[in-house]
Amino acid sequence: MSDKPLYVTEPALPPFEQFEPLLRELWASHRLTNGGPYHDQLEAALAAYLAVPRVSLLANGTLALMLALKALEVEGEVITTPYSFVATTHALMWSNCTPVFADIDPLSLNLDPAAVEAAITPRTRAILAVHVYGRPCDTAGLQAVAERHGLRLIYDAAHAFGVRLDTDSLMAAGDAAILSFHATKVFHTFEGGAIVCRDEALKARIDLLRNFGFKGETRVLATGINAKMNELQAAFGCLSLGSIDGEIAARARITARYDAAFAHLPGLRLLAPLPGVTRHNHGYYPLFVEPGFALSRDALYDRLREQNIIARRYFYPLISDFDMYRAAPGADHLPVARRMADTVLCLPLYGALGDDEVSRVIDAVSAAARP
Ligand code: T4K
């Protein structure tokens, strides 16, 4: 196996020479964390880029989830999706919440509002929905359920950086939305995250909580935590935000090549764009290996690995299938989510993936399709 490994993703990095002056500035200033010029600059730049009212930068997406729950004072049952990265549900556990799983819609792959409504009990306090692969949830449907039952609505928008529904930022939906800027995300700061919200008082509370609950030097108003983004990461974010549109455009071109190559292969289901999405971010390229394909999903995954193409089964197993979550309410009846988890495969997708490398992936999948 001599070919270079092609991983599911590779973080975009601007030329090092462009980062060097920023590093020199940090060294000269000695301002490394606890809020600083780059931190404030990135918060403002992201609010403008995402067209959202308020952004609070954080150390990662998992802490963002925990702080959103804490700031909105959510405790009790929270209805959530099993078809996500485990951090979504773990954050509920860290926040003294009980996860209740509801099934997903087969097109959006996100929480089905009718299934959410059916899972509501007198103890339900919130809905934690995920825009998986950056595909929007039925935000109107979930909002209506939340309003009917007086529930908080929080979006895990870790995959949804920059996605727009009609003219609106998807991140503006709900009481709060969280972002992840992990290295595997379209926009990253090595590690990092944020909470997006509308309400000024909510942002003030999040900002208090991310810095141990301090108000000034001598008062502590809440059991906060250390969830701050440091200046090194923020400086990197300020720089890389300048090239994000190019990264997304490159991913869109690769997505179009994959779509054209795979559309007619029997047994492969591709994801149709959802209505109303005027801007996607192409964070992932999931395809679904159905019974009509020549190989099972796992056999295709192995076949690609033999050729050094490291596809990933995001999101298999379902969160509700991890031992610690098997007994959670709703975990035993999630037929749509299960079907998706059992058939999904995410192919390599990142801006630096070269034309020849894309051809390598296409050839490998096409060859596997021949019985
Ligand atoms: N909510 C959702 C819906 C999420 O998807 C996530 C995270 C979160 C919340 C939590 O946000 P954070 O707290 O992480 O900010 C990865 C990421 O670690 C995780 O951030 C992400 N979701 C999840 C979907 O994927 P792994 O264990 O699959 O990553 P790993 O290390 O296997 O990386 C995948 C491939 O990417 C590697 O094979 C090679 C490439 N890679 C990775 C890293 C880290 C690089 O080329 N360079 C790198 O530095 O979880």
Side-chain angles (χ1 to χ4, degrees):
M1 189 159 61
S2 57
D3 285 329
K4 168 186 164 196
L6 300 180
Y7 295 106
V8 71
T9 193
E10 182 183 282
L13 290 172
F16 182 70
E17 306 74 69
Q18 292 180 13
F19 195 39
E20 219 177 327
L22 279 62
L23 284 176
R24 289 190 188 287
E25 217 177 300
L26 288 181
W27 253 246
S29 73
H30 291 78
R31 188 62 200 252
L32 304 185
T33 188
N34 286 6
Y38 281 116
H39 176 277
D40 294 353
Q41 192 182 321
L42 184 59
E43 271 195 356
L46 284 172
Y49 180 84
L50 298 172
V52 293
R54 291 169 220 290
V55 174
S56 292
L57 288 180
L58 297 165
N60 59 58
T62 306
L63 281 164
L65 281 166
M66 289 162 58
L67 258 64
L69 291 161
K70 176 112 177 152
L72 288 165
E73 297 178 335
V74 176
E75 280 190 22
E77 289 183 5
V78 178
I79 299 173
T80 192
T81 171
Y83 192 73
S84 181
F85 189 60
V86 72
T88 310
T89 310
H90 276 354
L92 292 173
M93 300 298 281
W94 277 89
S95 308
N96 291 324
C97 295
T98 304
V100 174
F101 293 109
D103 210 353
I104 58 172
D105 171 87
L107 289 182
S108 73
L109 309 179
N110 296 318
L111 275 178
D112 173 356
V116 170
E117 193 148 34
I120 290 173
T121 75
R123 295 172 300 282
T124 308
R125 295 291 173 268
I127 302 166
L128 175 56
V130 179
H131 303 296
V132 79
Y133 312 132
R135 292 168 71 76
C137 292
D138 175 354
T139 49
L142 290 175
Q143 186 69 37
V145 174
E147 280 172 15
R148 263 199 300 279
H149 298 273
L151 306 177
R152 294 291 197 186
L153 177 54
I154 300 172
Y155 284 105
D156 178 338
H159 301 178
F161 185 88
V163 174
R164 278 177 182 261
L165 252 189
D166 301 316
T167 53
D168 296 333
S169 168
L170 182 57
M171 268 122 286
D175 294 303
I178 77 93
L179 290 164
S180 165
F181 304 146
H182 183 261
T184 54
K185 299 293 183 281
V186 174
F187 172 77
H188 75 92
T189 55
F190 291 33
E191 293 268 3
I195 300 176
V196 171
C197 67
R198 267 185 306 277
D199 185 31
E200 194 178 342
L202 180 58
K203 175 170 166 55
R205 178 141 180 94
I206 293 162
D207 293 353
L208 190 86
L209 288 170
R210 72 181 166 185
N211 187 30
F212 309 100
F214 267 111
K215 177 93 179 162
E217 255 183 71
T218 52
R219 292 163 70 212
V220 171
L221 304 187
T223 32
I225 198 167
N226 181 357
K228 292 166 272 124
M229 178 184 282
N230 66 52
E231 282 292 276
L232 191 71
Q233 290 168 274
F236 180 84
C238 289
L239 175 64
S240 65
L241 194 58
S243 44
I244 186 68
D245 289 341
E247 171 67 21
I248 291 173
R251 288 166 177 251
R253 287 191 293 275
I254 297 166
T255 300
R257 277 195 67 195
Y258 282 159
D259 281 348
F262 303 142
H264 303 296
L265 293 184
L268 286 188
R269 183 164 84 86
L270 312 182
L271 287 180
L274 290 174
V277 177
T278 45
R279 186 171 193 254
H280 192 33
N281 68 15
H282 304 284
Y284 296 84
Y285 190 88
L287 51 74
F288 295 84
V289 186
E290 298 191 326
F293 194 73
L295 298 178
S296 69
R297 186 276 308 274
D298 288 345
L300 176 60
Y301 166 86
D302 290 339
R303 180 73 61 85
L304 295 179
R305 278 199 162 233
E306 284 161 15
Q307 297 167 60
N308 234 349
I309 297 168
I310 318 296
R312 293 292 292 267
R313 290 164 288 194
Y314 295 135
F315 288 98
Y316 167 85
L318 291 178
I319 299 176
S320 47
D321 279 346
F322 292 123
D323 281 347
M324 59 180 299
Y325 292 123
R326 268 185 213 284
D332 55 347
H333 189 63
L334 301 161
V336 181
R338 183 166 310 288
R339 196 167 74 237
M340 299 305 157
D342 286 346
T343 53
V344 71
L345 197 61
C346 287
L347 297 182
L349 179 61
Y350 47 92
L353 196 64
D355 286 345
D356 291 351
E357 293 168 333
V358 176
S359 300
R360 233 178 93 195
V361 178
I362 289 175
D363 292 348
V365 174
S366 306
R370 285 179 223 117

